[in-house]
Amino acid sequence: MSYSTASLVGPVTLDDVRGAQKMLSGVARVTAMEGSRHLSQLVGAPVHLKCENLQRTGSFKLRGAYVRIAGLLPEQRAAGVVAASAGNHAQGVALASSLLGVGSTVFMPKGAPLPKISATRDYGAEVRLHGQVVDETLAAAQEYAERTGAVFIHPFDHPDIIAGQGTVGLEILEQCPEVRTVVVGIGGGGLAAGIAVAVKALRPDVRIVGVQAEGAAAYPPSLAAGRPVAVEHPATMADGIKVGRPGDVPFGIVGELVDEVRTVSEDELSTALLLCLERAKLVVEPAGASPVAALLSEPGAFEGPVVAVLSGGNVDPVLMQGVLRHGMAAQGRYLAVRLRLTDRPGALATLLGVLSVVDANVLDVSHVRTDPRLGLTEAEVELHLETKGPEHCVEVGRALREAGYPVIG
């Protein structure tokens, strides 16, 4: 599919994005573009990482929030702004409001990670915890806006937000003028839409590929239907792209300008996050790692040079621990097994000796002796092991079975 700049007539134009870039000068960082030798070898062409995880507040969200709030009329600024978010948008609105001298109230779910709540407060917003899920939080924020006159700042469904996010696209073309493919995660669609407007206007030959998590992929059915379609109960570790319905404004732009939308699994997301940490030395949240997950899932499908947008790095440490463990398991580097043995002195030492022979590193041992499922002389052991890959996992399992240990999980 090809595009001409003449077709780029819509709610957001290249001039809007360029205006946003001027507005953001000295506010948002021009984030680094880092090459990835490992991904380049996999893809067979240069791969660059656009590090929005190193942006102020830890994600691209500051760009759109600042442009939206800066465009408010004086009387609107005086009324303050309100937003609803579990993390990145909350922090972007809080900092943008503080920089512009505008009061902000941010509604966050009661279960939002404490570091994100604390950061949002530190950036100057009044935080109100409401609801268990973002939909409940969103309803509370909208009710607050109607009651108080505060301006509701939507995370993605507004032309000013999209224009601000589109400045990432201008930076990509400046930093990597030879780019052939841009890969970007999609939640509601604001970032992908903004990048597509900027890039397609200047380089219509560049391919734009959007990436969604399989459990929260609202764009494929929406594009097929020709209108935004809601996905019930979106589920993914990538909360930054965990959006049940595309935004009306970005949906039209994505449908016209984004060449392809792919989906990635939870295993692929966790593996990508682990790769960013180990190989690129970058802390990236699951949503930010989604473009890397797409490259890993089918490296031969992308024409290079490729730019993968790492959209954010705000990951809760508890989630990070679980995701890294999940990623290691997906790569065959972490193995959890449960087995039964005879409850007698030295039995556990004998079991550990079997694991020592096959060079499996024991990270954790849980030893259960009292359980209704166990026989009088039985004990159950759960082992967490560090392994060296899928083949080593198979070798460990074989060694346990040959030693007479029935593996039950």
Side-chain angles (χ1 to χ4, degrees), residues 104-177:
S104 62
T105 302
V106 176
F107 285 77
M108 303 182 76
K110 292 180 180 178
L114 291 178
K116 293 184 178 182
I117 295 173
S118 177
T120 303
R121 286 185 174 134
D122 288 345
Y123 286 128
E126 177 188 346
V127 174
R128 300 193 180 190
L129 302 179
H130 184 92
Q132 300 299 326
V133 296
V134 174
D135 286 344
E136 296 173 352
T137 308
L138 183 63
Q142 291 172 327
E143 187 277 330
Y144 177 89
E146 293 172 2
R147 176 167 49 84
T148 66
V151 179
F152 178 68
I153 306 299
H154 199 283
F156 49 81
D157 205 9
H158 192 280
D160 289 348
I161 295 286
I162 294 170
Q165 322 305 30
T167 59
V168 176
L170 294 181
E171 290 178 18
I172 288 172
L173 294 182
E174 292 164 2
Q175 294 170 312
C176 185

Side-chain angles (χ1 to χ4, degrees), residues 67-101:
V67 172
R68 173 77 173 100
I69 297 169
L72 296 178
L73 298 172
E75 58 268 27
Q76 291 175 312
R77 291 195 187 195
V81 300
V82 60
S85 169
N88 290 346
H89 181 58
Q91 294 172 67
V93 168
L95 178 57
S97 299
S98 294
L99 293 172
L100 291 163

Side-chain angles (χ1 to χ4, degrees), residues 17 43-44 62 107 115 128 131 134 194 202 283 296 311 368 402 404 407:
V17 180
V43 172
L62 172 65
F107 285 77
R128 300 193 180 190
V134 174
L202 296 169
V283 175
L296 293 175
S311 58
V368 178
E402 289 177 353
V407 178

Side-chain angles (χ1 to χ4, degrees), residues 277-331:
L277 185 63
E278 288 189 326
R279 296 300 184 99
K281 315 306 178 190
L282 293 168
V283 175
V284 182
E285 62 190 88
S290 60
V292 175
L295 295 178
L296 293 175
S297 68
E298 193 176 352
F302 301 88
E303 181 183 359
V306 177
V307 173
V309 181
L310 307 183
S311 58
N314 291 318
V315 56
D316 179 53
V318 175
L319 175 62
M320 171 71 90
Q321 184 180 30
V323 171
L324 291 179
R325 187 165 56 242
H326 191 86
M328 291 178 68
Q331 290 186 332

Side-chain angles (χ1 to χ4, degrees), residues 12-14 16-24 27-31 50 52 55-69 85 88-93 96 153-173 175 182 184-199 208 240 249-250 253-254 309-312:
V12 184
T13 67
L14 176 62
D16 294 328
V17 180
R18 283 177 166 158
Q21 188 177 46
K22 291 179 181 178
M23 191 179 296
L24 289 168
V27 175
R29 294 174 181 149
V30 176
T31 51
K50 177 59 172 168
E52 281 298 290
Q55 184 57 261
R56 297 179 70 178
T57 76
S59 88
F60 69 96
K61 289 288 190 177
L62 172 65
R63 297 173 183 263
Y66 188 91
V67 172
R68 173 77 173 100
I69 297 169
S85 169
N88 290 346
H89 181 58
Q91 294 172 67
V93 168
I153 306 299
H154 199 283
F156 49 81
D157 205 9
H158 192 280
D160 289 348
I161 295 286
I162 294 170
Q165 322 305 30
T167 59
V168 176
L170 294 181
E171 290 178 18
I172 288 172
L173 294 182
Q175 294 170 312
V182 176
V184 55
I186 297 185
L191 178 62
I195 288 175
V197 168
V199 172
I208 309 292
V249 179
I253 298 171
V254 169
V309 181
L310 307 183
S311 58

Side-chain angles (χ1 to χ4, degrees), residues 340-396:
R340 291 180 182 175
L341 45 74
T342 301
D343 189 14
R344 56 179 171 75
L348 182 58
T350 302
L351 168 62
L352 297 179
V354 173
L355 296 171
S356 176
V357 170
V358 291
D359 204 21
N361 185 31
V362 179
L363 301 175
D364 189 39
V365 179
S366 177
H367 201 181
V368 178
R369 290 187 174 88
T370 55
D371 190 293
R373 299 170 301 166
L374 298 175
L376 186 61
T377 61
E378 286 184 319
E380 186 173 289
V381 175
E382 181 173 346
L383 299 160
H384 293 190
L385 309 172
E386 181 183 10
T387 47
K388 301 175 182 178
E391 293 181 359
H392 191 210
C393 289
V394 172
E395 181 185 356
V396 171

Side-chain angles (χ1 to χ4, degrees), residues 244-268:
R245 182 187 182 278
D248 292 330
V249 179
F251 175 76
I253 298 171
V254 169
E256 181 184 3
L257 300 181
V258 172
D259 297 278
E260 178 187 7
V261 176
R262 291 173 166 258
T263 61
V264 292
S265 69
E266 299 299 283
D267 280 354
E268 288 164 342

